[in-house]
Amino acid sequence: MEKFTSLTAVAAPLPLADIDTDKIIPARFLKTIKRTGLGVHLFDTLRYLPDGGENPHFVLNQEPYRGAQILIAYENFGCGSSREHAPWALLDFGISCVIAPDFADIFHTNCFKNGMLPVRLPRAVCEQLMGDARMGGNARLTVDLERQVVVRPNGQEIRFEIDPLRRHLLLNGLDDIGQTLGHQSAIASYEQRRRAEQPWLPGIAVA
């Protein structure tokens, strides 16, 4: 995964609660196991009209939000089914940070497993950040994971909390496999001791 350290970018305001994973990426687009190519279908039922044309009233179809890398929403973001395609679609569109009062548990976990940062902030703060975002491209937000702060365009810093292990993994670009490989020497040492003490047991191949 790419490392997430600090991001300064356009933020798109999406003042909706209970945005479920089917709204993020409808089920009919889940036939692929690839993580690319899903961004065009992100929020499909909101972004497109019945005739297939863009809905001009949806925020991600407007400038400067077509290039947004931060999304601000309301409570219970990512509820519904556990599809990992939801963070894949957000990332493929270009959004690598979602700010909301809270997230559905499985979506929240899937974000970290795919290099996306979900930031929990109170509803009142999200309202303020949406106001900033509505100012357009000249009012960018900064999300600094190292310092654990969101910096508003006026310079105000808002602290957010995050699990220390998840913070470490994002800062270093480590998924589950990368985290395991970080202990490769310890695993190899254990296997050597195990084979010496119990040579009749099958070993595990360690590169």
Side-chain angles (χ1 to χ4, degrees):
M1 300 190 306
E2 291 188 14
K3 296 179 180 180
F4 190 114
T5 53
S6 181
L7 172 66
T8 299
V10 169
L14 188 60
L16 298 173
D18 301 317
I19 298 175
D20 61 35
T21 52
D22 191 62
K23 187 75 69 178
I24 296 171
I25 180 73
R28 63 184 180 275
F29 300 117
L30 305 187
K31 297 177 182 179
T32 180
I33 58 172
K34 295 181 179 179
R35 303 187 183 194
T36 57
L38 294 172
V40 68
H41 303 302
L42 177 69
F43 296 119
D44 191 89
T45 57
L46 298 175
R47 284 173 69 191
Y48 302 108
L49 301 171
D51 64 4
E54 286 189 350
N55 176 3
H57 302 294
F58 185 64
V59 64
L60 296 182
N61 291 334
Q62 302 168 359
E63 296 295 344
Y65 307 111
R66 290 180 184 274
Q69 294 176 268
I70 302 169
L71 186 69
I72 308 169
Y74 288 153
E75 291 83 2
N76 202 26
F77 190 92
C79 58
S81 68
S82 61
R83 64 193 65 170
E84 199 166 3
H85 294 71
W88 291 356
L90 287 160
L91 285 164
D92 193 59
F93 180 86
I95 293 171
S96 55
C97 176
V98 180
I99 301 173
D102 56 64
F103 299 86
D105 287 342
I106 295 176
F107 175 84
H108 188 255
T109 297
N110 283 338
C111 284
F112 289 104
K113 289 181 178 294
N114 288 279
M116 175 180 291
L117 174 61
V119 174
R120 290 188 176 114
L121 289 174
R123 170 77 175 243
V125 175
C126 289
E127 293 275 13
Q128 292 178 325
L129 296 179
M130 284 193 189
D132 293 336
R134 292 188 182 100
M135 295 168 61
N138 293 325
R140 297 174 179 241
L141 296 181
T142 294
V143 180
D144 189 328
L145 179 57
E146 290 186 307
R147 299 172 53 226
Q148 292 182 223
V149 294
V150 174
V151 185
R152 299 179 63 192
N154 64 7
Q156 179 188 6
E157 295 187 350
I158 302 167
R159 181 169 176 82
F160 62 88
E161 299 301 325
I162 184 172
D163 176 81
L165 175 59
R166 286 173 164 170
R167 175 179 176 273
H168 167 78
L169 296 177
L170 281 179
L171 286 173
N172 292 278
L174 298 174
D175 58 12
D176 289 346
I177 295 174
Q179 183 182 7
T180 300
L181 290 177
H183 302 284
Q184 189 170 4
S185 60
I187 295 171
S189 297
Y190 168 79
E191 282 300 306
Q192 288 175 353
R193 291 196 307 272
R194 181 173 177 268
R195 284 194 295 268
E197 296 169 358
Q198 300 172 309
W200 61 89
L201 293 177
I204 300 175
V206 180

